[in-house]
Amino acid sequence: MHVRIAKYTFTGDVNDMARRAEEGMVPIFQAQPGFNGYTLATTGEKIISISAWDSAESAEAASGAAAEWIKANLAGEVELKDAHICEVLYSTVFGVSTLTGARA
């Protein structure tokens, strides 16, 4: 399993942006091959987006879909600062275990 972790700065109401992302971004991700889950969090100053995918390739492909949706729906309100695609080594959230080498 792989995750894409992205950090954004934002202006405006973060709760409204989260609602719009839930309504608009989640269905786009759900339609992508390899999608496993999506989380949006805030530090108060930044928005952290975490999406889980079967492979690095599916995470990378979804990055383009996310960028297009943000451009069309949140232009001027959020700015991507940092993004990484990472292999998940262990996660109780996503059910990945290093003990079995597979999903728990």
Side-chain angles (χ1 to χ4, degrees):
M1 177 177 288
H2 287 74
V3 293
R4 177 182 182 269
I5 302 171
K7 296 178 188 174
Y8 300 86
T9 56
F10 67 94
T11 58
D13 183 347
V14 72
N15 292 309
D16 177 59
M17 284 183 251
R19 180 193 54 75
R20 288 161 48 198
E22 184 176 10
E23 292 173 353
M25 180 80 73
V26 172
I28 292 169
F29 279 169
Q30 288 172 328
Q32 301 290 316
F35 175 74
N36 286 289
Y38 183 60
T39 299
L40 199 61
T42 186
T43 66
E45 296 176 358
K46 292 185 179 141
I47 294 173
I48 312 299
S49 169
I50 305 167
S51 55
W53 304 90
D54 286 342
S55 67
E57 293 78 18
S58 56
E60 189 62 46
S63 294
E68 287 298 317
W69 185 87
I70 289 169
K71 182 178 178 182
N73 295 278
L74 294 175
E77 296 179 69
V78 298
E79 181 180 349
L80 179 64
K81 291 299 183 180
D82 193 22
H84 301 278
I85 294 175
C86 313
E87 182 179 5
V88 176
L89 300 176
Y90 176 77
S91 172
T92 59
V93 173
F94 298 119
V96 177
S97 173
T98 56
L99 298 176
T100 63
R103 287 192 175 170

